[in-house]
């Protein structure tokens, strides 16, 4: 049973289901109020926020990727060994109806190409690389679907703030991932 719902965002939000809203700078303030955290912040905050929660024995569901490098992950691994809290890494789109559709049709070889789009109306104020911000999620999703990317077959094109990555899978599926900031819609 959820008794209180607290939100940490770049700006305070008002919603009838939210007990209280905190800014990102106030992340520490919410830790004494919660038993479970769902972390879906920009990738560069995943390790530090997860570590802070686990140090307080707060259970965590963190969106992929947990870390941007193995070196960044090391301090978190030490905390994981000493906490009694649970840590789960997940990707929210695995249960999406479109992904379920893809899973069904991949198994009967009906999919010849995939055009994946992930754009946001937000600006890239943290200068995050598109691979770290968006492509890592697409690759995790392809892994979930059992699609293996041919590493030597990746092409990268940039047009304004839109980045396109094209490649072929070992199953001969042509894949194009389009991602970027400052889009007209999400």
């Amino acid at each position: 049973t959820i008794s209180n719902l607290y939100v940490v965002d770049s700006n305070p939000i008002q919603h009838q289901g939210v007990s209280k809203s905190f800014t990102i700078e106030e992340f520490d303030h919410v830790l004494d109020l919660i038993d479970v955290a769902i972390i879906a912040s920009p990738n560069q905050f995943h390790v530090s926020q997860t570590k802070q929660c686990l140090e307080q024995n707060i259970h965590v569901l963190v969106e992929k990727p947990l870390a941007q490098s193995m070196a960044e992950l090391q301090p978190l691994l030490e905390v994981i060994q000493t906490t009694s809290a649970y840590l789960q890494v997940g990707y929210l789109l695995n249960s999406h109806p479109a992904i379920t559709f893809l899973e069904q049709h991949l198994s009967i070889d009906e999919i010849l190409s995939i055009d994946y789009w992930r754009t946001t109306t937000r600006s890239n104020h943290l200068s995050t690389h598109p691979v770290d911000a968006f492509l890592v999620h697409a690759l995790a999703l392809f892994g979930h679907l059992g699609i293996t990317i041919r590493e030597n077959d990746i092409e990268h094109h940039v047009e304004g703030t839109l980045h396109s990555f094209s490649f072929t899978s070992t199953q001969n599926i042509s894949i194009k991932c389009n991602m970027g900031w400052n889009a007209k819609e999400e």
Side-chain angles (χ1 to χ4, degrees):
T1 305
I2 296 176
S3 56
N4 292 295
L5 177 64
Y6 302 103
V7 174
V8 178
D9 205 343
S10 53
N11 298 306
I13 64 167
Q14 300 271 331
H15 188 277
Q16 68 181 26
V18 175
S19 304
K20 185 167 181 178
S21 178
F22 298 87
T23 64
I24 292 172
E25 292 79 19
E26 299 171 315
F27 182 79
D28 296 352
H29 297 31
V30 76
L31 296 178
D32 290 335
L33 303 172
I34 62 174
D35 298 314
V36 176
I38 300 172
I39 298 175
S41 55
N43 297 345
Q44 64 267 29
F45 298 117
H46 288 188
V47 168
S48 63
Q49 291 174 342
T50 298
K51 184 175 181 281
Q52 284 179 272
C53 289
L54 293 177
E55 287 172 339
Q56 299 292 320
N57 284 318
I58 297 168
H59 305 297
V60 178
L61 169 62
V62 60
E63 187 174 344
K64 292 178 78 96
L66 174 57
Q68 297 180 104
S69 70
M70 287 303 293
E72 182 186 27
L73 190 59
Q74 288 307 314
L76 183 58
L77 293 175
E78 294 169 16
V79 174
I80 289 170
Q81 294 174 4
T82 62
T83 186
S84 61
Y86 292 101
L87 170 63
Q88 176 70 43
V89 181
Y91 185 50
L92 303 178
L93 288 179
N94 286 356
S95 302
H96 191 281
I99 303 310
T100 303
F101 174 87
L102 263 176
E103 284 177 307
Q104 293 167 350
H105 291 272
L106 279 170
S107 65
I108 52 178
D109 296 328
E110 290 185 355
I111 305 293
L112 301 176
S113 65
I114 297 173
D115 199 5
Y116 177 97
W117 284 81
R118 177 59 177 102
T119 57
T120 182
T121 56
R122 294 173 288 156
S123 63
N124 186 12
H125 65 276
L126 298 172
S127 299
T128 306
H129 193 278
V131 171
D132 295 335
F134 303 119
L135 188 60
V136 67
H137 297 292
L139 295 175
L141 185 58
F142 297 146
H144 168 77
L145 293 169
I147 297 171
T148 306
I149 305 303
R150 291 185 181 153
E151 291 183 35
N152 60 351
D153 190 28
I154 299 173
E155 293 182 24
H156 178 207
H157 300 282
V158 180
E159 187 174 318
T161 59
L162 182 69
H163 291 255
S164 297
F165 296 88
S166 301
F167 38 84
T168 306
S169 74
T170 55
Q171 297 89 344
N172 291 319
I173 299 170
S174 175
I175 300 172
K176 185 172 183 183
C177 295
N178 302 286
M179 49 211 55
W181 296 268
N182 302 322
K184 292 182 182 169
E185 51 189 5
E186 293 277 329

